[in-house]
Amino acid sequence: MTSKMLEVKDVSFSYGPIQVLNKINFHVDKGEIVALLGANGAGKTTMLKNISGLLKPSSGQIFFQDENITPFEAEKIVEKRLILVPEHRQIFSTLSVLDNLYLGAYHHYARMGKREVNRDIEKVFQLFPILKDRKAQLGGTLSGGQQQMLAIARAIMARPNLLLLDEPSLGLAPLIVKEVLQYVKQLRDDFDVTVLLIEQNVSASLKIADRGYVMSHGSIIKEGNSKELLTDPEIKEAFLGHTVV
Ligand code: ATP
């Protein structure tokens, strides 16, 4: 049994005539937090959409726990417990915090039953006590940071083996960014989840990640462990001069 959770092999993707991913290769091992970094428009979101089945590569393959998931529909990939938390959170703003969490367990609710789902909710509340305090509140009335916590919490309710986080720091104040990213680290430890994190916020995300890959114009241009990347002169010059944390 290999420890590889995710392996992306030679994946290319085009929107019509515009090539956005060009033979991308990278992997995430079980238990890791890996950051996929790069400027706006580098192709990060497109990469996550290809992994989660929302888009299909024009060539190349994606393996999840040693299975080739490239041809699978998004729904089937969710059932395999590869869960995407999309950009801009996309929580249900007119539903309560609690109902948002129940919806996260939708795929296994019938099989597990309400008692076990409620047990998961209690565990999630231990990680995010603020969500417990606000469990009856409508999702749309939470602050940006709380909505991001709810989006992550809802994804945990699906019991992911691999969590894909698309820019959790987007639009959050620097202190809240730190807090949300610390939660990501905590949930890896508490819920035994592997995380692939996409970020423009290079410095803050490398502080919680084990390793990182840097994308530019649809290609991976650098990879390394977080310490190496944080002290890499090129990375410093390209990104760290203008990060917020
Ligand atoms: P961001 O931080 O802005 O999300 P990103 O690195 O995630 O950046 P992508 O969103 O993957 O980048 O976009 C990569 C490129 O693909 C950009 O040039 C973008 O304009 C283009 N693109 C994204 N979505 C579409 C689409 N639906 N149709 C055509 N081009 C698109």
Side-chain angles (χ1 to χ4, degrees):
M1 182 77 185
T2 109
S3 63
K4 279 213 176 84
M5 183 61 79
L6 178 76
E7 190 165 20
V8 172
K9 278 189 177 170
D10 280 334
V11 165
S12 296
F13 176 83
S14 303
Y15 286 110
I18 304 161
Q19 182 157 20
V20 174
L21 301 178
N22 183 17
K23 291 201 170 225
I24 299 281
N25 285 285
F26 70 94
H27 71 274
V28 181
D29 286 337
K30 186 170 173 0
E32 280 191 309
I33 297 177
V34 172
L36 188 58
L37 308 163
N40 207 328
K44 305 179 303 293
T45 297
T46 305
M47 186 67 248
L48 283 201
K49 286 184 175 167
N50 273 263
I51 295 169
S52 54
L54 298 170
L55 296 172
K56 289 292 161 200
S58 41
S59 61
Q61 291 175 317
I62 297 164
F63 290 85
F64 176 55
Q65 295 180 316
D66 294 327
E67 182 176 22
N68 183 1
I69 60 165
T70 326
F72 295 173
E73 295 301 323
E75 182 84 3
K76 185 162 179 189
I77 292 174
V78 168
E79 281 168 16
K80 302 235 164 234
R81 302 197 177 169
L82 192 168
I83 308 291
L84 169 70
V85 179
E87 216 171 6
H88 308 300
R89 335 209 211 282
Q90 300 182 9
I91 56 160
F92 297 100
S93 56
T94 56
L95 294 182
S96 69
V97 166
L98 200 55
D99 285 342
N100 267 277
L101 294 177
Y102 276 122
L103 275 171
Y106 163 80
H107 278 277
H108 52 240
Y109 193 93
R111 185 170 38 83
M112 279 175 37
K114 191 165 183 175
R115 258 179 70 187
E116 194 148 343
V117 170
N118 281 341
R119 215 173 295 149
D120 278 2
I121 287 182
E122 276 312 313
K123 217 171 149 195
V124 160
F125 281 158
Q126 275 171 21
L127 178 61
F128 299 108
I130 188 77
L131 296 182
K132 185 170 190 174
D133 296 345
R134 295 178 183 235
K135 65 183 175 191
Q137 202 171 314
L138 297 185
T141 65
L142 299 175
S143 71
Q146 290 161 1
Q147 288 190 16
Q148 184 61 63
M149 289 175 207
L150 179 56
I152 294 171
R154 189 184 58 188
I156 295 172
M157 290 301 298
R159 292 195 168 181
N161 289 333
L162 176 63
L163 198 57
L164 309 178
L165 294 178
D166 194 346
E167 221 148 322
S169 74
L170 198 70
L172 302 181
L175 268 178
I176 311 293
V177 170
K178 267 192 181 162
E179 190 184 346
V180 167
L181 289 175
Q182 277 309 320
Y183 276 122
V184 172
K185 200 167 178 186
Q186 187 75 38
L187 78 90
R188 182 261 302 267
D189 301 337
D190 290 0
F191 290 84
D192 196 22
V193 176
T194 303
V195 179
L196 176 61
L197 169 74
I198 281 198
E199 269 296 339
Q200 283 188 50
N201 199 327
V202 172
S203 167
S205 48
L206 282 178
K207 281 181 188 143
I208 63 142
D210 302 301
R211 291 189 299 120
Y213 294 89
V214 182
M215 272 183 85
S216 174
H217 300 101
S219 299
I220 302 246
I221 54 162
K222 213 169 250 291
E223 64 177 277
N225 69 41
S226 296
K227 267 200 191 128
E228 282 162 11
L229 290 177
L230 269 170
T231 52
D232 184 298
E234 267 180 330
I235 305 275
K236 270 188 172 165
E237 169 143 5
F239 297 110
L240 299 182
H242 31 98
T243 47
V244 291
V245 175

